[in-house]
Amino acid sequence: QVQLVESGGGLVQAGGSLRLSCVASGFIFSDNAMAWYRQAPGEQRELVATITRGSSTNYADSVKGRFTISRDNAKNLVYLQMNSLKPEDTAVYYCNAIGRSGQYPRFSSWGQGTQVTVSS
């Protein structure tokens, strides 16, 4: 059974930083590219950042230069370091594996997500 558990969210002021963590189980973590997604109220879920099994990374234009995705295969962990946060970053953040497309999630079972709220 695939399990994805996100943590590290919170309430911060604009310009602040947060580090999100996701622990994964139920699949071969090191064989999968991983991603962070986010969803604001009334909005579609959007792809934020990806990291391949070889640790190559890609970012949405809206977060490029501010966010950094990383992984620790020994611990089945993927991180999202978020700096220079803006109010428009406010959303629930989710992790998942990504498929060959590099855009869509591999697993239908999502975690609870972690809430990030950035005040102006």
Side-chain angles (χ1 to χ4, degrees), residues 24 32 47 57 64 66 85 101 105 110:
N32 281 265
L47 181 62
T57 59
K64 195 170 298 181
R66 300 187 298 119
L85 282 161
S101 71
W110 294 87

Side-chain angles (χ1 to χ4, degrees), residues 17-20 66-70 79-83:
S17 297
L18 286 171
R19 190 192 194 201
L20 308 184
R66 300 187 298 119
F67 291 10
T68 303
I69 188 172
S70 60
Y79 304 100
L80 187 67
Q81 178 67 47
M82 305 186 295
N83 299 324

Side-chain angles (χ1 to χ4, degrees), residues 5-115:
V5 182
E6 301 90 349
S7 61
L11 173 63
V12 298
Q13 291 183 312
S17 297
L18 286 171
R19 190 192 194 201
L20 308 184
S21 298
C22 168
V23 61
S25 62
F27 63 98
I28 304 174
F29 182 83
S30 61
D31 284 349
N32 281 265
M34 297 295 294
W36 284 95
Y37 298 79
R38 67 186 181 188
Q39 188 169 26
E43 303 285 344
Q44 295 283 95
R45 198 195 319 271
E46 64 174 336
L47 181 62
V48 175
T50 64
I51 183 165
T52 69
R53 57 186 292 177
S55 295
S56 296
T57 59
N58 280 290
Y59 301 91
D61 287 343
S62 59
V63 308
K64 195 170 298 181
R66 300 187 298 119
F67 291 10
T68 303
I69 188 172
S70 60
R71 66 192 297 162
D72 184 343
N73 287 340
K75 298 180 179 179
N76 282 20
L77 283 169
V78 59
Y79 304 100
L80 187 67
Q81 178 67 47
M82 305 186 295
N83 299 324
S84 302
L85 282 161
K86 303 175 180 180
E88 51 262 45
D89 296 319
T90 295
V92 179
Y93 285 71
Y94 302 90
C95 65
N96 212 316
I98 58 169
R100 196 177 304 275
S101 71
Q103 181 177 7
Y104 298 107
R106 179 181 173 191
F107 302 118
S108 60
S109 297
W110 294 87
Q112 292 296 303
T114 186
Q115 175 72 51

